Amino acid sequence: MVTVSKESNQRDGSRAPVITTGVWQWLRSNLFNSVFNSAVTILVCLFLYKIIPPFVEWAFIDSLWFSTADQCRAGQGACWSIIPANLRFIIFGFYPYELHWRPTVAMIILIGLLFYSKNRNHWNRSLGAIWIAGLFIMGILMRGGLFGLTPVESDQWGGLPLTLMLSVFGMVAAYPLGILLALGRRSKMPAIKTICILYIELIRGVPLISLLFMSAVLFPLFLPTGLTVNKIIRAQAAIILFTAAYIAEVVRGGLQAISRGQYEAAESLGLNYVQKMRLVVLPQALKIVIPPTVGILISAFKDTSLVVIIALYDILKTTRSVLGNPSWMGFSPEAYIFLALIYFVCCYAMSNYSRRLEKELHS
Amino acid sequence: MQNGASLNSVLDKRQGISFLNDQKVRAVAYQIAALCTVGFLGYYLFSNTVANLQKQAIATGFGFLGKQASFEIGESLIHYSAADTYIRALLVGVLNTLKVAFVGIVLTVILGTFLGIARLSTNWLVAKLAAVYIEVMQDIPILLQLFFWYSFFYDILPAPREAIEPVAGVFMSNRGFAFAVPEPHLAHACMAAAAVAGCFAAYILHRWARKRQEKTGQVFPVFACSLGIIIGLPFAVWLIAGAPHKMSVPELSGFNFQGGLNVSPEFGALLLGLVLYTAAFVAEIVRAGIQAIGKGQTEAAMAIGLKPGQILNLVILPQALRVIIPPLTSQMLNLTKNSSLAVAIGFPDFVSVASTTINQTGQAIEGISLIMLVYLCFSLLTSLFMNWYNKKMALVER
Amino acid sequence: MSDETLKKGINRSDDNKMIEITGMHKWFGDLHVLDDIHLTVYKGERIVICGPSGSGKSTLIRCINRLEELQKGKIVVDGIELTSNLKNVEKIREEVGMVFQHFNLFPHLSILENLTLGPIWVRKIPKRDAEEMAMMYLKKVHIEDQAKKYPGQLSGGQQQRVAIARSLCMKPKIMLFDEPTSALDPEMVKEVLDVMVNLAEEGMTMIVVSHEMGFAKSVAHRVMFMDFGRIVEENTPQEFFNSPQHDRTKLFLSQILN
């Protein structure tokens, strides 16, 4: 039996029997594609209808943006004026008013560094040097005392620069420490392995707040009598110790994912331990775990808000101070929503980047 | 490897290579160096601490636990007054932490699972709303959320006199939530007993139905019947007892509500913040778990002729749970650790009480050690559970 | 059994039709993945479909048990029309067995449990009977000693044989094979093909998507070549391999057979 179909190399033009995607068709296939879904859609729309218009009225229509506190109280809508009226304090804390250009420049440098590092083409040896130089410049700008800049004690640093610095310095310092801990945990030497395991499990088992308490109350006791270290530095140390344990676990996962063949190939070439790790294993392992590492950075950024509890003036504490002011009392929702927006924008940008990076690295 | 190493060292010695290059000697040397460093550091910190404590005349030791606490605690599951000891106060704190953790975990799992499934819904509106919720809640710090809900209670909700009543019997004011609850009645104990009996009966029914299916192949609607029994038996008891329906309704008396179940604004804010925050992470875990089961499994099950409900129960869920449970357990531990932030909004959890204790006695080392010890216990229990679960459920491979 | 005895005459009458596909079209978005497919398969017939990747051959057989939905045309399986009527779909799936390229065994169940899952929950057979039948099929594919093991402990060839046994436990009238040996190491291909030849000897109606030309030559009643969603050529194995009519067929065969 022989059946030979028509010889035709071009599609004979029969179009797909799909109605051109208009709004109606999209609605039908996405919102009303079954009885259950239709009912749910209607319920959800009703719910949104009850919530959104009143919110829009409160937040935008009746709201005041640049008024005084008394005018706000007389009105019914949201008092967004609390933000512009107190913006400098919320963002910069107790930093001297006329010197605000310095933390601003420091933050611009930091954001510039972050954007520069986003591009994977820039990931080479000089990146580390650029970061160190950038952080050094930031430190000098904030601290002053050199190059004719008036010194500003670190207990006056506050607001957004403090939040950014605690997270970024924390992450930068915790990263090498975390790598060492991960390597130590995988070591065959029992003493070193035990020390690392004890450290990692202890730190991961306790809440960050207990470590912050420790930094506020116990670290002064650990230091020789008479030597005082600034509260911010102590809190920074606690954040570094905390983050390092989590980085250690993530890096450990990366080390485990590298096949034994890689280790063996490096050894058979005659590389010693340090060379093996530095040239063969770590470059691969660290690359694999970049996405969860960015996740830790995002968590560190959010966790800096906890320094409120030990009375450090990060951006959350400065906001709460403003709310404690009798004239602006009672407008907490507006202030917190503003803060939430700042955090959301930063964290969303970071997690978006992490997701994109993961896709790129996987393909 | 062992033999190779000793052979090498024998060869080295024969060739006169120095003692210090021997692998084993090196290892011992490194470890001694590490232990010495740690030991020295520890000793240094210790001696500083002793000197400082002496200088500031701070007491040491746990003797303070037996002394009188002299501070009040806002809410407690057990009887407590300022005349009780510190250790009792700390116990109140632990119980409060457990209360928040327990209720929080149950609510989080429910909400998180619902959100995770909603995120995968075929309804675009539902899926998008769930995705927006998950993204937003994950990116705002938990402490900020706690402060927000706390201010919601105190700044937005009105005084008890003008309390909002969204549903009959539920009152929302800046003194917290008040619910109408049934008045305690003897029938309640009997209903609880009936519910337990119902669970037993359902278990027995399940076993009987399974044996029957193995023998004859017929399927019995076990789930529906079990549900009926567990709900029906207590209901029957309730009817027999005369259907007691007297409610303890919160009534405005003075400045607050009396009667009914009262939830303080601190507890309410803490619970709300923790649940809404952690549920976003749980939703992602559930979603990833369901999506981790490859399409091929569903197709193979369909090709055999299994119905969608059967596919979910027999093929997808058993595999998805394996993927979901370990990270879910981590999140539950995170919720417990995050509950320590209660100290910032005035809910008397363990950290909060311990903090007050430290302030009063000045014994910071003992206090912070206690905090760490309690949370390490929680972490240890969680790890043990996870290890046991992973071993039990591990897919058998070569 | 010699090739000739194996391919004894097929009764090509109307009431012996197992699968009848008329005018089937399918699009993935803009891609016309199945273009005007007409195919009739009679009881006991064995068809091998070959073609380059992306030609639509997998999609074709996946439409038969509704793992994919056709958008235009008609499919009738053993007298039951395949529409979105769920009852019809379930009935058809009970009668059509499918073997996948990546086996798709259930990793959390033992081999025996993999086989008895369908009979117990779909055909409602008592457990003891289901297990007896499962052991019989395991013996048939020469793997009865692995019954208590788990899929992760078996080699690729063993897993695929289990997958075939799993489909057979539902006593299907038609068996579909979607590139059953493509994911196997070369030394395991033969053991799976042997099982498939055994099935053929017992008279099972089979549609096999595969590049195993030796199997096609000795077992198939018809060989089809598909390209760009169309059935380009269809013939007996002898004619197909010895005198292909189309240029595309000739090109494909020269690539495969060298």
Side-chain angles (χ1 to χ4, degrees), chain C residues 93-151:
Chain C
R93 283 189 180 155
E94 282 180 38
E95 306 204 1
V96 175
M98 183 151 201
V99 175
F100 298 85
Q101 184 180 1
H102 295 288
F103 336 133
N104 287 339
L105 293 181
F106 305 129
H108 60 298
L109 301 174
S110 73
I111 302 298
L112 195 62
E113 286 166 347
N114 261 278
L115 264 66
T116 55
L117 188 70
I120 289 181
W121 289 94
V122 181
R123 294 217 191 265
K124 315 258 201 291
I125 297 178
K127 183 167 166 187
R128 184 103 42 99
D129 300 344
E131 284 183 353
E132 258 179 56
M133 175 177 66
M135 288 307 293
M136 178 192 76
Y137 281 112
L138 284 178
K139 269 203 196 71
K140 211 161 168 210
V141 300
H142 312 300
I143 208 166
E144 69 269 22
D145 48 330
Q146 313 280 358
K148 296 289 185 197
K149 292 228 178 108
Y150 283 79

Coordinates of all heavy atoms in Angstrom, one line a residue, chain C residues 93-151:
Chain C
R93 N -8.1 6.0 28.1 CA -6.8 5.9 28.8 C -6.7 4.5 29.4 O -5.6 4.0 29.6 CB -6.6 6.9 29.8 CG -6.3 8.3 29.2 CD -5.9 9.3 30.2 NE -5.5 10.5 29.6 CZ -5.6 11.7 30.3 NH1 -6.0 11.7 31.5 NH2 -5.3 12.8 29.6
E94 N -7.8 3.9 29.8 CA -7.7 2.5 30.3 C -7.3 1.5 29.2 O -6.8 0.5 29.5 CB -9.1 2.1 30.9 CG -9.3 2.7 32.3 CD -10.7 2.3 32.8 OE1 -11.0 1.1 32.6 OE2 -11.4 3.1 33.4
E95 N -7.6 1.8 28.0 CA -7.4 0.9 26.9 C -6.1 1.1 26.2 O -5.7 0.3 25.4 CB -8.5 0.9 25.9 CG -9.9 0.7 26.6 CD -10.8 0.2 25.6 OE1 -10.4 0.0 24.4 OE2 -12.0 0.0 25.9
V96 N -5.5 2.3 26.4 CA -4.3 2.7 25.6 C -3.2 2.8 26.6 O -3.3 3.5 27.6 CB -4.5 4.0 24.9 CG1 -3.2 4.5 24.3 CG2 -5.6 3.9 23.9
G97 N -2.1 2.0 26.4 CA -1.0 2.1 27.3 C 0.1 2.9 26.7 O 0.2 3.0 25.4
M98 N 0.9 3.6 27.5 CA 2.0 4.5 27.0 C 3.3 4.2 27.7 O 3.3 4.1 28.9 CB 1.6 5.9 27.1 CG 2.6 6.8 26.5 SD 1.8 8.3 26.0 CE 2.9 8.9 24.8
V99 N 4.4 4.1 26.9 CA 5.7 4.0 27.4 C 6.5 5.2 27.0 O 6.5 5.6 25.9 CB 6.4 2.7 26.9 CG1 7.8 2.6 27.4 CG2 5.6 1.5 27.3
F100 N 7.1 5.9 28.0 CA 7.7 7.2 27.8 C 9.2 7.1 27.6 O 9.9 6.1 28.0 CB 7.5 8.1 29.0 CG 6.1 8.4 29.3 CD1 5.3 7.6 30.0 CD2 5.5 9.6 28.8 CE1 4.0 7.9 30.3 CE2 4.2 9.9 29.0 CZ 3.4 9.0 29.8
Q101 N 9.8 8.1 27.0 CA 11.2 8.1 26.7 C 12.0 8.1 28.0 O 13.0 7.4 28.1 CB 11.6 9.3 25.9 CG 13.1 9.4 25.5 CD 13.3 10.6 24.7 OE1 12.5 11.5 24.4 NE2 14.6 10.8 24.2
H102 N 11.5 8.8 29.0 CA 12.2 8.9 30.3 C 11.6 8.1 31.4 O 11.7 8.4 32.6 CB 12.4 10.3 30.7 CG 13.2 11.2 29.8 ND1 14.6 11.0 29.7 CD2 12.9 12.1 28.9 CE1 15.1 11.8 28.8 NE2 14.1 12.5 28.3
F103 N 11.0 7.0 31.0 CA 10.4 5.9 31.9 C 9.3 6.5 32.8 O 8.2 5.9 32.8 CB 11.4 5.2 32.7 CG 12.8 5.2 32.2 CD1 13.9 5.5 33.0 CD2 13.1 4.9 30.9 CE1 15.2 5.5 32.6 CE2 14.4 4.9 30.4 CZ 15.4 5.2 31.3
N104 N 9.5 7.6 33.5 CA 8.5 8.1 34.4 C 8.0 7.1 35.4 O 6.8 7.1 35.7 CB 7.4 8.7 33.6 CG 7.8 10.0 32.9 OD1 8.8 10.7 33.4 ND2 7.1 10.4 31.9
L105 N 8.8 6.3 36.0 CA 8.4 5.4 37.1 C 8.2 6.3 38.3 O 8.8 7.4 38.4 CB 9.4 4.3 37.3 CG 9.6 3.3 36.3 CD1 10.6 2.3 36.7 CD2 8.3 2.6 36.0
F106 N 7.4 5.9 39.3 CA 7.1 6.6 40.5 C 8.2 6.3 41.5 O 8.2 5.2 42.0 CB 5.7 6.3 41.0 CG 4.6 6.5 40.0 CD1 3.7 5.6 39.8 CD2 4.5 7.7 39.3 CE1 2.7 5.8 38.8 CE2 3.5 7.9 38.3 CZ 2.6 6.9 38.1
P107 N 9.1 7.3 41.8 CA 10.3 6.9 42.6 C 10.0 6.6 44.0 O 10.8 5.9 44.7 CB 11.1 8.2 42.5 CG 10.2 9.3 42.2 CD 9.1 8.7 41.4
H108 N 8.8 7.0 44.5 CA 8.5 6.8 45.9 C 7.8 5.4 46.2 O 7.4 5.1 47.3 CB 7.7 7.9 46.5 CG 6.3 8.1 45.8 ND1 6.2 8.4 44.5 CD2 5.1 8.0 46.2 CE1 5.0 8.5 44.1 NE2 4.2 8.2 45.2
L109 N 7.5 4.7 45.1 CA 6.9 3.4 45.2 C 7.8 2.3 44.7 O 8.6 2.5 43.9 CB 5.6 3.3 44.4 CG 4.5 4.4 44.7 CD1 3.4 4.3 43.7 CD2 4.0 4.2 46.1
S110 N 7.7 1.1 45.3 CA 8.5 0.0 44.9 C 8.0 -0.5 43.5 O 7.0 0.0 43.0 CB 8.4 -1.2 45.8 OG 7.1 -1.8 45.7
I111 N 8.8 -1.3 42.9 CA 8.5 -1.8 41.5 C 7.1 -2.4 41.5 O 6.2 -2.1 40.7 CB 9.5 -2.8 41.0 CG1 10.9 -2.2 41.0 CG2 9.2 -3.3 39.7 CD1 11.0 -1.0 40.1
L112 N 6.9 -3.3 42.5 CA 5.6 -4.0 42.5 C 4.5 -3.0 42.7 O 3.4 -3.1 42.1 CB 5.6 -5.0 43.7 CG 4.5 -6.0 43.7 CD1 4.5 -6.8 42.4 CD2 4.5 -6.9 44.9
E113 N 4.7 -2.0 43.6 CA 3.6 -1.0 43.8 C 3.4 -0.1 42.6 O 2.3 0.3 42.3 CB 4.0 -0.1 45.0 CG 3.9 -0.8 46.3 CD 4.6 0.0 47.5 OE1 5.4 0.9 47.1 OE2 4.4 -0.3 48.6
N114 N 4.5 0.2 41.8 CA 4.3 0.9 40.6 C 3.3 0.2 39.7 O 2.5 0.8 39.0 CB 5.7 1.0 39.9 CG 6.3 2.4 40.1 OD1 6.0 3.4 39.4 ND2 7.2 2.5 41.0
L115 N 3.5 -1.2 39.6 CA 2.6 -1.9 38.7 C 1.2 -2.0 39.2 O 0.3 -2.1 38.4 CB 3.2 -3.3 38.5 CG 4.1 -3.5 37.2 CD1 5.4 -2.7 37.4 CD2 4.5 -4.9 37.0
T116 N 1.0 -2.2 40.5 CA -0.3 -2.4 41.0 C -1.1 -1.2 41.2 O -2.3 -1.2 41.5 CB -0.3 -3.2 42.3 OG1 0.5 -2.5 43.3 CG2 0.3 -4.6 42.1
L117 N -0.5 0.0 41.1 CA -1.2 1.2 41.4 C -2.4 1.4 40.5 O -3.6 1.7 41.0 CB -0.3 2.4 41.1 CG -0.8 3.8 41.6 CD1 -0.9 3.9 43.1 CD2 0.1 4.9 41.0
G118 N -2.3 1.2 39.2 CA -3.4 1.4 38.2 C -4.5 0.4 38.5 O -5.6 0.7 38.7
P119 N -4.1 -0.9 38.4 CA -5.2 -2.0 38.6 C -6.0 -1.8 39.9 O -7.2 -1.9 39.9 CB -4.4 -3.3 38.7 CG -3.2 -3.0 37.9 CD -2.8 -1.6 38.1
I120 N -5.3 -1.4 41.0 CA -6.0 -1.3 42.3 C -6.9 0.0 42.3 O -8.1 -0.1 42.7 CB -5.0 -1.2 43.5 CG1 -4.3 -2.5 43.7 CG2 -5.7 -0.7 44.7 CD1 -3.3 -2.5 44.8
W121 N -6.4 1.1 41.8 CA -7.2 2.3 42.0 C -8.1 2.6 40.8 O -9.0 3.4 40.9 CB -6.2 3.5 42.2 CG -5.6 3.4 43.6 CD1 -4.4 2.8 43.9 CD2 -6.2 3.9 44.8 NE1 -4.3 2.9 45.3 CE2 -5.3 3.5 45.8 CE3 -7.4 4.5 45.1 CZ2 -5.6 3.9 47.2 CZ3 -7.7 4.8 46.4 CH2 -6.8 4.5 47.4
V122 N -7.8 2.1 39.6 CA -8.6 2.4 38.4 C -9.5 1.2 38.1 O -10.7 1.4 37.9 CB -7.7 2.7 37.2 CG1 -8.6 3.1 36.0 CG2 -6.8 3.9 37.5
R123 N -8.9 0.0 38.0 CA -9.8 -1.1 37.7 C -10.4 -1.8 39.0 O -11.1 -2.7 38.8 CB -9.0 -2.2 36.9 CG -8.5 -1.7 35.6 CD -8.6 -2.8 34.6 NE -8.0 -2.5 33.3 CZ -8.6 -2.0 32.3 NH1 -9.9 -1.8 32.3 NH2 -8.0 -1.7 31.1
K124 N -10.0 -1.3 40.1 CA -10.6 -1.7 41.4 C -10.4 -3.2 41.6 O -11.3 -3.9 42.1 CB -12.1 -1.4 41.5 CG -12.4 0.1 41.0 CD -12.6 0.9 42.2 CE -13.4 2.2 41.9 NZ -12.7 3.2 41.1
I125 N -9.2 -3.7 41.3 CA -9.0 -5.2 41.5 C -8.4 -5.4 42.9 O -7.7 -4.5 43.4 CB -7.9 -5.6 40.5 CG1 -8.5 -5.4 39.1 CG2 -7.5 -7.0 40.7 CD1 -7.5 -5.8 38.0
P126 N -8.8 -6.5 43.6 CA -8.2 -6.7 44.9 C -6.7 -6.8 44.9 O -6.1 -7.2 43.9 CB -8.8 -8.1 45.3 CG -10.0 -8.2 44.5 CD -9.8 -7.4 43.2
K127 N -6.1 -6.5 46.0 CA -4.6 -6.3 46.0 C -3.9 -7.6 45.7 O -3.0 -7.6 44.9 CB -4.2 -5.8 47.4 CG -2.7 -5.6 47.6 CD -2.4 -4.8 48.8 CE -0.9 -4.8 49.1 NZ -0.6 -4.3 50.4
R128 N -4.4 -8.7 46.2 CA -3.7 -10.0 46.0 C -3.7 -10.3 44.5 O -2.7 -10.7 44.0 CB -4.4 -11.1 46.8 CG -3.7 -12.4 46.7 CD -2.9 -12.8 47.9 NE -3.6 -12.5 49.2 CZ -4.2 -13.4 49.9 NH1 -4.3 -14.6 49.5 NH2 -4.8 -13.0 51.0
D129 N -4.9 -10.2 43.9 CA -5.0 -10.5 42.5 C -4.1 -9.5 41.7 O -3.4 -10.0 40.7 CB -6.4 -10.3 42.0 CG -7.3 -11.3 42.7 OD1 -6.8 -12.2 43.3 OD2 -8.5 -11.1 42.6
A130 N -4.1 -8.3 42.1 CA -3.2 -7.3 41.3 C -1.8 -7.7 41.4 O -1.0 -7.6 40.4 CB -3.5 -5.9 41.9
E131 N -1.4 -8.1 42.6 CA 0.1 -8.4 42.8 C 0.4 -9.7 42.0 O 1.5 -9.8 41.4 CB 0.4 -8.6 44.3 CG 0.5 -7.3 45.0 CD 0.9 -7.5 46.5 OE1 0.9 -8.6 46.9 OE2 1.1 -6.5 47.1
E132 N -0.5 -10.7 42.0 CA -0.2 -11.9 41.2 C 0.0 -11.5 39.7 O 0.9 -11.9 39.0 CB -1.4 -12.8 41.3 CG -1.2 -14.0 42.2 CD -2.4 -14.8 42.2 OE1 -2.9 -15.3 41.2 OE2 -3.0 -15.1 43.3
M133 N -1.0 -10.7 39.2 CA -0.8 -10.3 37.8 C 0.4 -9.5 37.6 O 1.1 -9.7 36.6 CB -2.1 -9.4 37.4 CG -2.0 -8.8 36.0 SD -3.4 -7.9 35.6 CE -3.3 -6.5 36.7
A134 N 0.8 -8.6 38.5 CA 2.0 -7.8 38.4 C 3.2 -8.7 38.3 O 4.1 -8.5 37.4 CB 2.1 -6.8 39.5
M135 N 3.3 -9.7 39.2 CA 4.4 -10.7 39.1 C 4.5 -11.4 37.8 O 5.6 -11.6 37.3 CB 4.3 -11.7 40.3 CG 4.6 -11.1 41.7 SD 6.2 -10.2 41.8 CE 7.4 -11.5 41.6
M136 N 3.3 -11.7 37.3 CA 3.3 -12.4 36.0 C 3.9 -11.5 34.9 O 4.8 -12.0 34.1 CB 1.9 -12.8 35.6 CG 1.8 -13.5 34.3 SD 0.1 -13.6 33.7 CE -0.2 -12.0 33.1
Y137 N 3.6 -10.2 34.9 CA 4.1 -9.4 33.9 C 5.6 -9.1 34.1 O 6.4 -8.9 33.2 CB 3.3 -8.0 33.8 CG 2.0 -8.2 33.0 CD1 0.8 -8.1 33.6 CD2 2.1 -8.5 31.7 CE1 -0.4 -8.3 32.9 CE2 0.9 -8.6 30.9 CZ -0.3 -8.6 31.6 OH -1.5 -8.7 30.9
L138 N 6.0 -9.0 35.4 CA 7.4 -8.8 35.7 C 8.2 -10.0 35.2 O 9.3 -9.9 34.6 CB 7.6 -8.6 37.2 CG 7.2 -7.3 37.7 CD1 7.5 -7.2 39.2 CD2 8.0 -6.2 37.1
K139 N 7.6 -11.2 35.3 CA 8.3 -12.4 34.8 C 8.4 -12.3 33.3 O 9.5 -12.6 32.7 CB 7.5 -13.7 35.1 CG 7.8 -14.3 36.4 CD 7.4 -15.8 36.4 CE 7.4 -16.4 37.8 NZ 6.4 -15.9 38.6
K140 N 7.4 -11.8 32.7 CA 7.4 -11.7 31.2 C 8.5 -10.8 30.7 O 9.1 -11.0 29.7 CB 6.0 -11.1 30.8 CG 5.6 -11.5 29.5 CD 4.1 -11.2 29.4 CE 3.7 -11.4 28.0 NZ 2.6 -10.7 27.5
V141 N 8.8 -9.7 31.4 CA 9.9 -8.8 31.0 C 11.2 -9.1 31.7 O 12.1 -8.4 31.7 CB 9.5 -7.3 31.2 CG1 8.2 -6.9 30.5 CG2 9.3 -7.0 32.7
H142 N 11.2 -10.3 32.3 CA 12.4 -10.9 32.9 C 13.0 -10.0 34.0 O 14.2 -9.7 34.0 CB 13.5 -11.1 31.8 CG 13.0 -11.8 30.6 ND1 12.4 -13.0 30.7 CD2 12.8 -11.4 29.3 CE1 12.0 -13.4 29.5 NE2 12.3 -12.4 28.6
I143 N 12.1 -9.6 34.9 CA 12.7 -8.7 35.9 C 12.0 -9.0 37.3 O 12.0 -8.1 38.2 CB 12.5 -7.2 35.5 CG1 13.6 -6.3 36.1 CG2 11.2 -6.7 35.9 CD1 13.7 -5.0 35.5
E144 N 11.5 -10.2 37.5 CA 10.7 -10.5 38.6 C 11.5 -10.5 39.9 O 10.9 -10.2 41.0 CB 10.0 -11.9 38.5 CG 11.0 -13.1 38.6 CD 11.4 -13.4 37.2 OE1 11.4 -12.6 36.3 OE2 11.9 -14.6 37.0
D145 N 12.8 -10.6 39.9 CA 13.6 -10.6 41.1 C 13.8 -9.2 41.7 O 14.3 -9.0 42.8 CB 14.9 -11.3 40.9 CG 15.6 -10.7 39.6 OD1 14.9 -10.3 38.7 OD2 16.9 -10.7 39.6
Q146 N 13.4 -8.2 40.9 CA 13.6 -6.8 41.4 C 12.3 -6.2 42.0 O 12.2 -5.0 42.3 CB 14.0 -5.9 40.3 CG 15.1 -6.4 39.4 CD 16.5 -6.2 40.1 OE1 16.5 -5.6 41.2 NE2 17.5 -6.7 39.5
A147 N 11.3 -7.1 42.2 CA 9.9 -6.6 42.5 C 9.9 -5.7 43.8 O 9.2 -4.7 43.8 CB 9.0 -7.7 42.7
K148 N 10.8 -6.0 44.8 CA 10.7 -5.2 46.0 C 11.6 -4.0 46.0 O 11.6 -3.2 46.9 CB 11.1 -6.1 47.2 CG 10.2 -7.3 47.4 CD 8.9 -6.8 48.0 CE 8.0 -8.0 48.3 NZ 6.6 -7.7 48.5
K149 N 12.4 -3.9 44.9 CA 13.3 -2.7 44.9 C 12.6 -1.5 44.4 O 11.4 -1.5 44.1 CB 14.4 -3.0 43.9 CG 15.4 -4.2 44.3 CD 16.8 -3.7 44.1 CE 17.8 -4.8 44.6 NZ 18.4 -5.5 43.4
Y150 N 13.4 -0.4 44.4 CA 12.8 0.9 44.0 C 13.4 1.4 42.7 O 14.5 1.0 42.4 CB 13.1 2.0 45.1 CG 12.1 1.8 46.3 CD1 12.3 0.8 47.3 CD2 11.0 2.6 46.4 CE1 11.4 0.7 48.3 CE2 10.1 2.5 47.5 CZ 10.3 1.5 48.4 OH 9.5 1.3 49.4
P151 N 12.7 2.2 42.0 CA 13.2 2.6 40.6 C 14.6 3.2 40.7 O 15.4 2.9 39.8 CB 12.2 3.7 40.2 CG 11.0 3.3 40.9 CD 11.3 2.7 42.2

